[in-house]
């Protein structure tokens, strides 16, 4: 359900944009690569009609440096390589905390942040119920660094906490 307001927000922006949206506006943080990969079909279904105008990237350690142009053209709404991600960051970036940390410190990932400055409007934290204690503190500090690097104020970003298991059982 969190995708609907995010996609509606991006679709409204597209109405006033002369070209494709460039730069991360929505950052989805998933704790596991399997959860990141599980979003692919859903995001393809929601973005395919927009083609290259509204794109997403699943960015984890398995994201290849390059993919053949023919392979990339099969799913124009999905950024499938690091090379394209760095050249033209999509408005939706699905990643994990480790890769986000790398983005903050690796020079090769600097173009993602530079081309996204002032544009970040959404941060989605999946499995939010697992962020407790030192893990929660680390994520909070990482998100502060992200907001600073992306040059946005916390009041300009909508934070969404998701969980498929929160409230299950007797608790």
């Amino acid at each position: 359900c969190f995708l609907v307001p995010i996609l509606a927000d991006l679709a409204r922006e597209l109405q006033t944009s002369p070209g494709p949206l460039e730069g991360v506006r929505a950052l989805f943080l998933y704790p596991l690569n399997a959860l990141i990969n599980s979003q692919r079909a859903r995001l393809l279904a929601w973005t395919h009609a927009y083609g290259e105008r509204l794109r997403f990237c699943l960015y984890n350690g398995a994201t290849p440096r390059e993919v053949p142009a023919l392979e990339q053209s099969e799913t124009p709404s999905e950024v499938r390589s690091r090379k394209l991600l760095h050249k033209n960051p999509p408005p939706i970036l699905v990643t994990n905390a480790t890769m986000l940390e790398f983005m903050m410190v690796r020079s090769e990932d600097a173009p993602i942040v530079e081309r996204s400055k002032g544009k970040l409007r959404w941060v989605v934290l999946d499995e939010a119920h697992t962020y407790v204690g030192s893990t929660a503190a680390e994520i909070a500090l990482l998100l502060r660094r992200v907001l600073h690097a992306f040059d946005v104020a916390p009041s300009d970003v909508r934070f969404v906490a998701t969980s498929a298991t929160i409230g299950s059982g007797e608790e």
Side-chain angles (χ1 to χ4, degrees), residues 8-146:
D9 179 46
L10 296 173
R12 277 190 300 275
E13 184 180 357
L14 272 174
Q15 290 176 341
T16 60
S17 176
L21 299 181
E22 179 183 291
V24 177
R25 280 118 166 109
L27 178 63
F28 298 0
L29 286 177
Y30 286 86
L32 302 171
N33 285 346
L35 294 171
I36 292 171
N37 295 333
S38 73
Q39 298 306 305
R40 184 172 189 257
R42 180 176 295 115
L43 286 167
L44 280 171
W46 283 88
T47 61
H48 81 277
Y50 292 98
E52 293 181 351
R53 295 191 72 218
L54 179 57
R55 298 162 305 120
F56 70 93
C57 181
L58 307 180
Y59 188 39
N60 60 33
T63 305
R65 173 112 5 245
E66 290 187 59
V67 297
L70 179 61
E71 186 178 326
Q72 176 60 58
S73 70
E74 292 170 355
T75 53
S77 66
E78 181 182 13
V79 172
R80 299 182 71 174
S81 70
R82 292 173 191 237
K83 183 177 180 180
L84 186 55
L85 172 61
H86 295 147
K87 179 181 177 185
N88 188 354
I92 300 171
L93 183 63
V94 184
T95 192
N96 57 45
T98 301
M99 292 305 289
L100 187 57
E101 178 72 40
F102 288 160
M103 279 177 43
M104 297 294 101
V105 297
R106 288 195 308 202
S107 60
E108 69 184 66
D109 286 334
I112 301 168
V113 176
E114 286 303 313
R115 291 187 171 98
S116 302
K117 283 194 182 279
K119 298 177 182 178
L120 185 65
R121 297 194 300 263
W122 296 89
V123 173
V124 177
L125 292 169
D126 189 52
E127 298 297 330
H129 68 282
T130 64
Y131 297 117
V132 295
S134 62
T135 303
E138 288 175 16
I139 289 292
L141 291 171
L142 176 59
L143 290 176
R144 285 183 187 181
R145 289 176 45 224
V146 166

